[in-house]
Amino acid sequence: QICLSLVKLLFYLAHSPLGSIVLLDFQPRQFVMVDGNLKVTDMDDASTEELSCKEDNDCTLDFPTKSFPLKCSAVGKCEGINEKRNLFNAYRYFFTYLLPHSAPPSLRPLLSDILNATGDLRYGINETMKAFEKVLHLYKSGLYLQKRPLLLKDYISLKGFRTVEGEDYKCWPSYSHQGCLLSIHSTEEAAAICNSKSQCQSFIVTQQRTWTGRPLASFQSSWTDLIPDTNAVVYIKRSASSGERL
C-alpha cells in the first residue's frame, strides 16, 4: 500500500502541470500517510529545474552506490533526470525495505522484477505504475492463487460461533501482534494457510477488511473456547475435532 501510494505520487510529480518535479530532499521522514495515501509534508526542496547539458557526458545521475548515464536532449536538458532521481530514491528508501516481504509467494517474482527494474532504472514511472497496477489486480481478484486441491472439505464449519479472543500462536506477517491475523481472498485460501501451519487447528473469517477489501482471518491453535456470535463462522480441522463432540 505504501509503495503503490508513493508510485502514484511520483507519477503525478512526473506529469504535473508545472513540469517534472524532483524532490531534492527525498527522505522517509518527508512523507506521511493520510487516510491510506502517502503525502509529502515538505515541498521546500521541490524543483522543476532539470539539469542543463551540452552533451551526454554532462548528464550523469549520481547516487552514493550507483551512477546512471542519461541523454542530453535537443533542447539542452538531461532527459527525465527529475523523474529518474525520484524513482531511484523510492527504490532505495522504500521499495528495497518493503517490497520483498509479506506478499503471497506467487506474487513475489513480480515484485522482485519491479525492484530490480527500478534499481537499475530500466523502468520509468509509467512502466512502474503499470507493473504495480498489474500486481494489485492479481492480488484483489485472487488470480494469483495457484491451482491446488480444495482443502475446505477438511474443515467443519460452525455458524453462529467464534473462538475467544486472546493471545495465541503468532505468525508473520500478522495484522495483530497478539496472534495470527492474515488477509485472505477466500475461505479456501484460509484453509490452505491453516493447513500449512502445524499449530493451526481452526480459523475465523472476521468482519474486518484491508485497504484492498480483502477480509481478515484469525488463525487459532485451538477451537474449544467457543462463544456465540451470530455474525461469525468458525472453521475447525476435522482431524482436530475427531473424537470430540461438537
PDB file of all heavy atoms in Angstrom, residues 156-165 202-204 220 222-229 232-236 241 245-246:
ATOM      1  N   ILE A 156     -14.785 -28.526   9.476  1.00  0.00           N
ATOM      2  CA  ILE A 156     -16.177 -28.437   9.910  1.00  0.00           C
ATOM      3  C   ILE A 156     -16.474 -26.974  10.176  1.00  0.00           C
ATOM      4  O   ILE A 156     -15.690 -26.285  10.837  1.00  0.00           O
ATOM      5  CB  ILE A 156     -16.406 -29.255  11.193  1.00  0.00           C
ATOM      6  CG1 ILE A 156     -16.132 -30.738  10.927  1.00  0.00           C
ATOM      7  CG2 ILE A 156     -17.807 -29.051  11.733  1.00  0.00           C
ATOM      8  CD1 ILE A 156     -16.077 -31.569  12.187  1.00  0.00           C
ATOM      9  N   SER A 157     -17.596 -26.474   9.658  1.00  0.00           N
ATOM     10  CA  SER A 157     -17.953 -25.080   9.909  1.00  0.00           C
ATOM     11  C   SER A 157     -19.068 -25.003  10.935  1.00  0.00           C
ATOM     12  O   SER A 157     -20.043 -25.752  10.868  1.00  0.00           O
ATOM     13  CB  SER A 157     -18.399 -24.406   8.598  1.00  0.00           C
ATOM     14  OG  SER A 157     -19.556 -25.014   8.085  1.00  0.00           O
ATOM     15  N   LEU A 158     -18.897 -24.103  11.887  1.00  0.00           N
ATOM     16  CA  LEU A 158     -19.902 -23.860  12.921  1.00  0.00           C
ATOM     17  C   LEU A 158     -20.366 -22.420  12.811  1.00  0.00           C
ATOM     18  O   LEU A 158     -19.634 -21.493  13.150  1.00  0.00           O
ATOM     19  CB  LEU A 158     -19.319 -24.120  14.314  1.00  0.00           C
ATOM     20  CG  LEU A 158     -19.038 -25.576  14.707  1.00  0.00           C
ATOM     21  CD1 LEU A 158     -18.432 -25.628  16.094  1.00  0.00           C
ATOM     22  CD2 LEU A 158     -20.309 -26.396  14.651  1.00  0.00           C
ATOM     23  N   LYS A 159     -21.587 -22.233  12.340  1.00  0.00           N
ATOM     24  CA  LYS A 159     -22.126 -20.889  12.207  1.00  0.00           C
ATOM     25  C   LYS A 159     -22.655 -20.405  13.547  1.00  0.00           C
ATOM     26  O   LYS A 159     -23.178 -21.178  14.341  1.00  0.00           O
ATOM     27  CB  LYS A 159     -23.241 -20.862  11.158  1.00  0.00           C
ATOM     28  CG  LYS A 159     -22.772 -21.166   9.752  1.00  0.00           C
ATOM     29  CD  LYS A 159     -23.915 -21.068   8.748  1.00  0.00           C
ATOM     30  CE  LYS A 159     -23.416 -21.340   7.333  1.00  0.00           C
ATOM     31  NZ  LYS A 159     -24.512 -21.258   6.340  1.00  0.00           N
ATOM     32  N   GLY A 160     -22.486 -19.105  13.770  1.00  0.00           N
ATOM     33  CA  GLY A 160     -23.001 -18.507  14.996  1.00  0.00           C
ATOM     34  C   GLY A 160     -22.064 -18.634  16.177  1.00  0.00           C
ATOM     35  O   GLY A 160     -22.465 -18.388  17.320  1.00  0.00           O
ATOM     36  N   PHE A 161     -20.789 -18.993  15.904  1.00  0.00           N
ATOM     37  CA  PHE A 161     -19.803 -19.100  16.983  1.00  0.00           C
ATOM     38  C   PHE A 161     -18.481 -18.487  16.541  1.00  0.00           C
ATOM     39  O   PHE A 161     -18.187 -18.396  15.352  1.00  0.00           O
ATOM     40  CB  PHE A 161     -19.569 -20.565  17.372  1.00  0.00           C
ATOM     41  CG  PHE A 161     -20.715 -21.213  18.071  1.00  0.00           C
ATOM     42  CD1 PHE A 161     -21.657 -21.922  17.346  1.00  0.00           C
ATOM     43  CD2 PHE A 161     -20.866 -21.107  19.448  1.00  0.00           C
ATOM     44  CE1 PHE A 161     -22.723 -22.527  17.975  1.00  0.00           C
ATOM     45  CE2 PHE A 161     -21.922 -21.708  20.084  1.00  0.00           C
ATOM     46  CZ  PHE A 161     -22.868 -22.425  19.352  1.00  0.00           C
ATOM     47  N   ARG A 162     -17.690 -18.108  17.505  1.00  0.00           N
ATOM     48  CA  ARG A 162     -16.311 -17.704  17.277  1.00  0.00           C
ATOM     49  C   ARG A 162     -15.494 -18.118  18.489  1.00  0.00           C
ATOM     50  O   ARG A 162     -16.038 -18.396  19.565  1.00  0.00           O
ATOM     51  CB  ARG A 162     -16.192 -16.198  17.044  1.00  0.00           C
ATOM     52  CG  ARG A 162     -16.599 -15.330  18.215  1.00  0.00           C
ATOM     53  CD  ARG A 162     -16.388 -13.855  17.887  1.00  0.00           C
ATOM     54  NE  ARG A 162     -16.902 -12.989  18.919  1.00  0.00           N
ATOM     55  CZ  ARG A 162     -16.256 -12.637  20.028  1.00  0.00           C
ATOM     56  NH1 ARG A 162     -15.033 -13.123  20.252  1.00  0.00           N
ATOM     57  NH2 ARG A 162     -16.796 -11.824  20.901  1.00  0.00           N
ATOM     58  N   THR A 163     -14.194 -18.174  18.325  1.00  0.00           N
ATOM     59  CA  THR A 163     -13.322 -18.517  19.440  1.00  0.00           C
ATOM     60  C   THR A 163     -13.076 -17.289  20.309  1.00  0.00           C
ATOM     61  O   THR A 163     -13.180 -16.151  19.852  1.00  0.00           O
ATOM     62  CB  THR A 163     -11.973 -19.054  18.942  1.00  0.00           C
ATOM     63  OG1 THR A 163     -11.426 -18.122  18.012  1.00  0.00           O
ATOM     64  CG2 THR A 163     -12.134 -20.403  18.267  1.00  0.00           C
ATOM     65  N   VAL A 164     -12.752 -17.513  21.551  1.00  0.00           N
ATOM     66  CA  VAL A 164     -12.470 -16.419  22.483  1.00  0.00           C
ATOM     67  C   VAL A 164     -11.181 -15.733  22.071  1.00  0.00           C
ATOM     68  O   VAL A 164     -10.168 -16.387  21.798  1.00  0.00           O
ATOM     69  CB  VAL A 164     -12.345 -16.939  23.929  1.00  0.00           C
ATOM     70  CG1 VAL A 164     -11.988 -15.803  24.890  1.00  0.00           C
ATOM     71  CG2 VAL A 164     -13.650 -17.595  24.349  1.00  0.00           C
ATOM     72  N   GLU A 165     -11.219 -14.403  21.997  1.00  0.00           N
ATOM     73  CA  GLU A 165     -10.026 -13.657  21.615  1.00  0.00           C
ATOM     74  C   GLU A 165      -9.005 -13.667  22.747  1.00  0.00           C
ATOM     75  O   GLU A 165      -9.350 -13.633  23.914  1.00  0.00           O
ATOM     76  CB  GLU A 165     -10.389 -12.206  21.260  1.00  0.00           C
ATOM     77  CG  GLU A 165     -11.222 -12.086  19.991  1.00  0.00           C
ATOM     78  CD  GLU A 165     -11.491 -10.644  19.636  1.00  0.00           C
ATOM     79  OE1 GLU A 165     -10.932  -9.746  20.306  1.00  0.00           O
ATOM     80  OE2 GLU A 165     -12.264 -10.416  18.681  1.00  0.00           O
ATOM     81  N   SER A 202      -7.903 -24.139  13.808  1.00  0.00           N
ATOM     82  CA  SER A 202      -9.169 -23.533  13.396  1.00  0.00           C
ATOM     83  C   SER A 202      -8.914 -22.116  12.905  1.00  0.00           C
ATOM     84  O   SER A 202      -7.858 -21.538  13.154  1.00  0.00           O
ATOM     85  CB  SER A 202     -10.165 -23.508  14.569  1.00  0.00           C
ATOM     86  OG  SER A 202      -9.712 -22.640  15.598  1.00  0.00           O
ATOM     87  N   PHE A 203      -9.914 -21.572  12.210  1.00  0.00           N
ATOM     88  CA  PHE A 203      -9.818 -20.173  11.804  1.00  0.00           C
ATOM     89  C   PHE A 203     -11.207 -19.560  11.716  1.00  0.00           C
ATOM     90  O   PHE A 203     -12.212 -20.267  11.578  1.00  0.00           O
ATOM     91  CB  PHE A 203      -9.073 -20.016  10.472  1.00  0.00           C
ATOM     92  CG  PHE A 203      -9.767 -20.607   9.281  1.00  0.00           C
ATOM     93  CD1 PHE A 203     -10.702 -19.867   8.547  1.00  0.00           C
ATOM     94  CD2 PHE A 203      -9.487 -21.902   8.872  1.00  0.00           C
ATOM     95  CE1 PHE A 203     -11.327 -20.412   7.450  1.00  0.00           C
ATOM     96  CE2 PHE A 203     -10.116 -22.451   7.765  1.00  0.00           C
ATOM     97  CZ  PHE A 203     -11.039 -21.710   7.056  1.00  0.00           C
ATOM     98  N   ILE A 204     -11.239 -18.248  11.813  1.00  0.00           N
ATOM     99  CA  ILE A 204     -12.474 -17.484  11.698  1.00  0.00           C
ATOM    100  C   ILE A 204     -12.248 -16.373  10.680  1.00  0.00           C
ATOM    101  O   ILE A 204     -11.223 -15.682  10.735  1.00  0.00           O
ATOM    102  CB  ILE A 204     -12.872 -16.850  13.044  1.00  0.00           C
ATOM    103  CG1 ILE A 204     -13.161 -17.926  14.074  1.00  0.00           C
ATOM    104  CG2 ILE A 204     -14.094 -15.945  12.886  1.00  0.00           C
ATOM    105  CD1 ILE A 204     -13.335 -17.367  15.472  1.00  0.00           C
ATOM    106  N   GLN A 220      -6.174 -19.953  14.756  1.00  0.00           N
ATOM    107  CA  GLN A 220      -6.065 -20.316  16.171  1.00  0.00           C
ATOM    108  C   GLN A 220      -5.453 -21.706  16.331  1.00  0.00           C
ATOM    109  O   GLN A 220      -5.580 -22.558  15.451  1.00  0.00           O
ATOM    110  CB  GLN A 220      -7.461 -20.310  16.827  1.00  0.00           C
ATOM    111  CG  GLN A 220      -8.235 -19.017  16.666  1.00  0.00           C
ATOM    112  CD  GLN A 220      -7.721 -17.913  17.573  1.00  0.00           C
ATOM    113  OE1 GLN A 220      -7.130 -18.195  18.617  1.00  0.00           O
ATOM    114  NE2 GLN A 220      -7.950 -16.663  17.192  1.00  0.00           N
ATOM    115  N   SER A 222      -6.380 -23.619  18.838  1.00  0.00           N
ATOM    116  CA  SER A 222      -7.397 -24.452  19.488  1.00  0.00           C
ATOM    117  C   SER A 222      -8.769 -23.998  19.011  1.00  0.00           C
ATOM    118  O   SER A 222      -8.911 -22.984  18.335  1.00  0.00           O
ATOM    119  CB  SER A 222      -7.303 -24.353  21.008  1.00  0.00           C
ATOM    120  OG  SER A 222      -7.652 -23.041  21.430  1.00  0.00           O
ATOM    121  N   TRP A 223      -9.793 -24.746  19.397  1.00  0.00           N
ATOM    122  CA  TRP A 223     -11.151 -24.375  18.984  1.00  0.00           C
ATOM    123  C   TRP A 223     -12.152 -24.604  20.109  1.00  0.00           C
ATOM    124  O   TRP A 223     -13.353 -24.386  19.964  1.00  0.00           O
ATOM    125  CB  TRP A 223     -11.574 -25.207  17.779  1.00  0.00           C
ATOM    126  CG  TRP A 223     -11.523 -26.696  18.025  1.00  0.00           C
ATOM    127  CD1 TRP A 223     -10.468 -27.514  17.814  1.00  0.00           C
ATOM    128  CD2 TRP A 223     -12.563 -27.507  18.557  1.00  0.00           C
ATOM    129  NE1 TRP A 223     -10.768 -28.800  18.182  1.00  0.00           N
ATOM    130  CE2 TRP A 223     -12.066 -28.828  18.639  1.00  0.00           C
ATOM    131  CE3 TRP A 223     -13.868 -27.265  18.974  1.00  0.00           C
ATOM    132  CZ2 TRP A 223     -12.823 -29.899  19.133  1.00  0.00           C
ATOM    133  CZ3 TRP A 223     -14.630 -28.326  19.458  1.00  0.00           C
ATOM    134  CH2 TRP A 223     -14.107 -29.627  19.535  1.00  0.00           C
ATOM    135  N   THR A 224     -11.661 -25.012  21.281  1.00  0.00           N
ATOM    136  CA  THR A 224     -12.566 -25.442  22.350  1.00  0.00           C
ATOM    137  C   THR A 224     -13.267 -24.282  23.051  1.00  0.00           C
ATOM    138  O   THR A 224     -14.366 -24.460  23.575  1.00  0.00           O
ATOM    139  CB  THR A 224     -11.779 -26.257  23.396  1.00  0.00           C
ATOM    140  OG1 THR A 224     -10.624 -25.495  23.811  1.00  0.00           O
ATOM    141  CG2 THR A 224     -11.315 -27.567  22.801  1.00  0.00           C
ATOM    142  N   ASP A 225     -12.655 -23.106  23.079  1.00  0.00           N
ATOM    143  CA  ASP A 225     -13.273 -21.964  23.759  1.00  0.00           C
ATOM    144  C   ASP A 225     -14.136 -21.187  22.774  1.00  0.00           C
ATOM    145  O   ASP A 225     -13.706 -20.199  22.180  1.00  0.00           O
ATOM    146  CB  ASP A 225     -12.190 -21.044  24.351  1.00  0.00           C
ATOM    147  CG  ASP A 225     -11.395 -21.736  25.438  1.00  0.00           C
ATOM    148  OD1 ASP A 225     -11.981 -22.579  26.142  1.00  0.00           O
ATOM    149  OD2 ASP A 225     -10.191 -21.449  25.561  1.00  0.00           O
ATOM    150  N   LEU A 226     -15.366 -21.647  22.590  1.00  0.00           N
ATOM    151  CA  LEU A 226     -16.279 -21.019  21.646  1.00  0.00           C
ATOM    152  C   LEU A 226     -17.327 -20.192  22.384  1.00  0.00           C
ATOM    153  O   LEU A 226     -17.815 -20.587  23.446  1.00  0.00           O
ATOM    154  CB  LEU A 226     -16.990 -22.078  20.790  1.00  0.00           C
ATOM    155  CG  LEU A 226     -16.107 -22.967  19.926  1.00  0.00           C
ATOM    156  CD1 LEU A 226     -16.964 -23.982  19.170  1.00  0.00           C
ATOM    157  CD2 LEU A 226     -15.291 -22.141  18.954  1.00  0.00           C
ATOM    158  N   ILE A 227     -17.664 -19.056  21.797  1.00  0.00           N
ATOM    159  CA  ILE A 227     -18.722 -18.214  22.343  1.00  0.00           C
ATOM    160  C   ILE A 227     -19.675 -17.857  21.203  1.00  0.00           C
ATOM    161  O   ILE A 227     -19.273 -17.786  20.046  1.00  0.00           O
ATOM    162  CB  ILE A 227     -18.172 -16.932  23.009  1.00  0.00           C
ATOM    163  CG1 ILE A 227     -17.326 -16.123  22.016  1.00  0.00           C
ATOM    164  CG2 ILE A 227     -17.382 -17.262  24.256  1.00  0.00           C
ATOM    165  CD1 ILE A 227     -16.828 -14.802  22.579  1.00  0.00           C
ATOM    166  N   PRO A 228     -20.966 -17.641  21.525  1.00  0.00           N
ATOM    167  CA  PRO A 228     -21.934 -17.313  20.470  1.00  0.00           C
ATOM    168  C   PRO A 228     -21.621 -15.980  19.798  1.00  0.00           C
ATOM    169  O   PRO A 228     -21.227 -15.019  20.445  1.00  0.00           O
ATOM    170  CB  PRO A 228     -23.265 -17.240  21.237  1.00  0.00           C
ATOM    171  CG  PRO A 228     -23.034 -18.003  22.494  1.00  0.00           C
ATOM    172  CD  PRO A 228     -21.593 -17.780  22.842  1.00  0.00           C
ATOM    173  N   ASP A 229     -21.772 -15.954  18.481  1.00  0.00           N
ATOM    174  CA  ASP A 229     -21.621 -14.728  17.702  1.00  0.00           C
ATOM    175  C   ASP A 229     -22.398 -14.941  16.406  1.00  0.00           C
ATOM    176  O   ASP A 229     -21.974 -15.699  15.539  1.00  0.00           O
ATOM    177  CB  ASP A 229     -20.147 -14.433  17.411  1.00  0.00           C
ATOM    178  CG  ASP A 229     -19.945 -13.085  16.716  1.00  0.00           C
ATOM    179  OD1 ASP A 229     -20.889 -12.597  16.067  1.00  0.00           O
ATOM    180  OD2 ASP A 229     -18.836 -12.535  16.793  1.00  0.00           O
ATOM    181  N   ALA A 232     -20.551 -14.663  12.984  1.00  0.00           N
ATOM    182  CA  ALA A 232     -19.283 -15.365  12.787  1.00  0.00           C
ATOM    183  C   ALA A 232     -19.499 -16.811  12.350  1.00  0.00           C
ATOM    184  O   ALA A 232     -20.562 -17.407  12.557  1.00  0.00           O
ATOM    185  CB  ALA A 232     -18.455 -15.330  14.072  1.00  0.00           C
ATOM    186  N   VAL A 233     -18.449 -17.334  11.727  1.00  0.00           N
ATOM    187  CA  VAL A 233     -18.384 -18.758  11.384  1.00  0.00           C
ATOM    188  C   VAL A 233     -16.981 -19.232  11.745  1.00  0.00           C
ATOM    189  O   VAL A 233     -15.988 -18.613  11.346  1.00  0.00           O
ATOM    190  CB  VAL A 233     -18.632 -19.013   9.881  1.00  0.00           C
ATOM    191  CG1 VAL A 233     -18.558 -20.504   9.588  1.00  0.00           C
ATOM    192  CG2 VAL A 233     -19.971 -18.448   9.454  1.00  0.00           C
ATOM    193  N   VAL A 234     -16.895 -20.307  12.509  1.00  0.00           N
ATOM    194  CA  VAL A 234     -15.587 -20.856  12.847  1.00  0.00           C
ATOM    195  C   VAL A 234     -15.392 -22.153  12.050  1.00  0.00           C
ATOM    196  O   VAL A 234     -16.310 -22.954  11.902  1.00  0.00           O
ATOM    197  CB  VAL A 234     -15.455 -21.120  14.368  1.00  0.00           C
ATOM    198  CG1 VAL A 234     -16.496 -22.091  14.866  1.00  0.00           C
ATOM    199  CG2 VAL A 234     -14.048 -21.609  14.709  1.00  0.00           C
ATOM    200  N   TYR A 235     -14.193 -22.287  11.494  1.00  0.00           N
ATOM    201  CA  TYR A 235     -13.850 -23.468  10.705  1.00  0.00           C
ATOM    202  C   TYR A 235     -12.824 -24.277  11.481  1.00  0.00           C
ATOM    203  O   TYR A 235     -11.763 -23.765  11.849  1.00  0.00           O
ATOM    204  CB  TYR A 235     -13.284 -23.063   9.340  1.00  0.00           C
ATOM    205  CG  TYR A 235     -14.276 -22.317   8.473  1.00  0.00           C
ATOM    206  CD1 TYR A 235     -14.463 -20.947   8.626  1.00  0.00           C
ATOM    207  CD2 TYR A 235     -15.022 -22.988   7.512  1.00  0.00           C
ATOM    208  CE1 TYR A 235     -15.376 -20.256   7.830  1.00  0.00           C
ATOM    209  CE2 TYR A 235     -15.933 -22.303   6.709  1.00  0.00           C
ATOM    210  CZ  TYR A 235     -16.102 -20.937   6.883  1.00  0.00           C
ATOM    211  OH  TYR A 235     -17.013 -20.259   6.099  1.00  0.00           O
ATOM    212  N   ILE A 236     -13.150 -25.544  11.724  1.00  0.00           N
ATOM    213  CA  ILE A 236     -12.314 -26.395  12.579  1.00  0.00           C
ATOM    214  C   ILE A 236     -11.817 -27.584  11.768  1.00  0.00           C
ATOM    215  O   ILE A 236     -12.578 -28.227  11.031  1.00  0.00           O
ATOM    216  CB  ILE A 236     -13.119 -26.901  13.799  1.00  0.00           C
ATOM    217  CG1 ILE A 236     -13.690 -25.720  14.588  1.00  0.00           C
ATOM    218  CG2 ILE A 236     -12.245 -27.770  14.691  1.00  0.00           C
ATOM    219  CD1 ILE A 236     -14.749 -26.125  15.584  1.00  0.00           C
ATOM    220  N   SER A 241     -11.059 -32.150  15.495  1.00  0.00           N
ATOM    221  CA  SER A 241     -12.323 -32.376  16.189  1.00  0.00           C
ATOM    222  C   SER A 241     -12.675 -33.843  16.323  1.00  0.00           C
ATOM    223  O   SER A 241     -13.672 -34.197  16.940  1.00  0.00           O
ATOM    224  CB  SER A 241     -13.455 -31.659  15.437  1.00  0.00           C
ATOM    225  OG  SER A 241     -13.605 -32.204  14.137  1.00  0.00           O
ATOM    226  N   ARG A 245     -17.049 -34.139  20.804  1.00  0.00           N
ATOM    227  CA  ARG A 245     -18.440 -33.846  20.500  1.00  0.00           C
ATOM    228  C   ARG A 245     -18.593 -32.348  20.297  1.00  0.00           C
ATOM    229  O   ARG A 245     -18.271 -31.578  21.178  1.00  0.00           O
ATOM    230  CB  ARG A 245     -19.352 -34.338  21.622  1.00  0.00           C
ATOM    231  CG  ARG A 245     -19.349 -35.849  21.788  1.00  0.00           C
ATOM    232  CD  ARG A 245     -20.305 -36.304  22.861  1.00  0.00           C
ATOM    233  NE  ARG A 245     -21.681 -35.928  22.505  1.00  0.00           N
ATOM    234  CZ  ARG A 245     -22.723 -36.097  23.322  1.00  0.00           C
ATOM    235  NH1 ARG A 245     -22.542 -36.594  24.520  1.00  0.00           N
ATOM    236  NH2 ARG A 245     -23.931 -35.728  22.930  1.00  0.00           N
ATOM    237  N   LEU A 246     -19.082 -31.961  19.164  1.00  0.00           N
ATOM    238  CA  LEU A 246     -19.265 -30.541  18.874  1.00  0.00           C
ATOM    239  C   LEU A 246     -20.662 -30.111  19.310  1.00  0.00           C
ATOM    240  O   LEU A 246     -21.623 -30.791  19.022  1.00  0.00           O
ATOM    241  CB  LEU A 246     -19.069 -30.285  17.378  1.00  0.00           C
ATOM    242  CG  LEU A 246     -17.666 -30.568  16.855  1.00  0.00           C
ATOM    243  CD1 LEU A 246     -17.614 -30.315  15.343  1.00  0.00           C
ATOM    244  CD2 LEU A 246     -16.660 -29.699  17.541  1.00  0.00           C
TER     245      LEU A 246
END
